[in-house]
Structure formats: structure tokens, C-alpha cells
Amino acid sequence: MYLRVREHYDSIERHVTLFGDKGRKVGEIDLLAHKDGHTDVFEVKCSPRKVKARKQLKRIKKHIGPENTRCFFYCGASKEIEHF
């Protein structure tokens, strides 16, 4: 996934851990990409588990802020990227 999108972004971070208010781990971002003031979040799954991915992306967006943030789901089985 990283190799597929890296040339389209200024910077990319992988496996970014999110922490809540009290220092507790809230989740992990599989791929966090930045370009021109926009942030794209990618959730990567081996199988098409869209319900779980949507739930995780919603939680991530809540913690990093909805402004200029787009969320995507990548399914390894179908090798497709879907915008949420």
C-alpha cells in the first residue's frame, strides 16, 4: 500500500499510534499521508471488512480532527482503495 501511494504525497507515516486524554492507547493509523494542507488516513485490511474499517476511521478522524481529513479503506484481497 505504501509503495502504491508514496509518490502522491509530501510525507507519509506508517503505524501511527493514537493516545487519548489520559495517555491510553486509542488506536493505530495504518498509513497517514500529508499533501498541501490535507491529511489522508488509510485503513488497510487483508479482507473486505468495511464495517470494522469504517468504525476505526471514524474514531481516528475524531482524534486527529475532521478539518481537511479524508479517509480511505484499502482491501488487500481486491487491491482497491475506497474513499469513506
Side-chain angles (χ1 to χ4, degrees), residues 6-68:
R6 70 179 174 184
E7 63 191 40
H8 302 289
Y9 294 98
D10 296 329
S11 68
I12 296 180
E13 301 172 67
R14 295 185 279 185
H15 309 291
V16 178
T17 304
L18 293 176
F19 293 97
D21 296 335
K22 298 179 181 178
R24 194 182 102 217
K25 182 179 175 180
V26 176
E28 183 178 276
I29 300 172
D30 293 329
L31 202 66
L32 184 65
H34 306 280
K35 176 141 181 130
D36 300 330
H38 292 280
T39 301
D40 289 349
V41 177
F42 292 87
E43 181 62 35
V44 179
K45 299 278 184 227
C46 295
S47 61
R49 296 167 31 183
K50 292 181 184 181
V51 173
K52 184 173 182 180
R54 184 170 279 135
K55 181 180 176 183
Q56 289 174 313
L57 288 167
K58 184 177 178 180
R59 186 180 323 124
I60 289 167
K61 199 167 186 177
K62 175 184 167 188
H63 283 280
I64 65 172
E67 315 81 39
N68 298 322

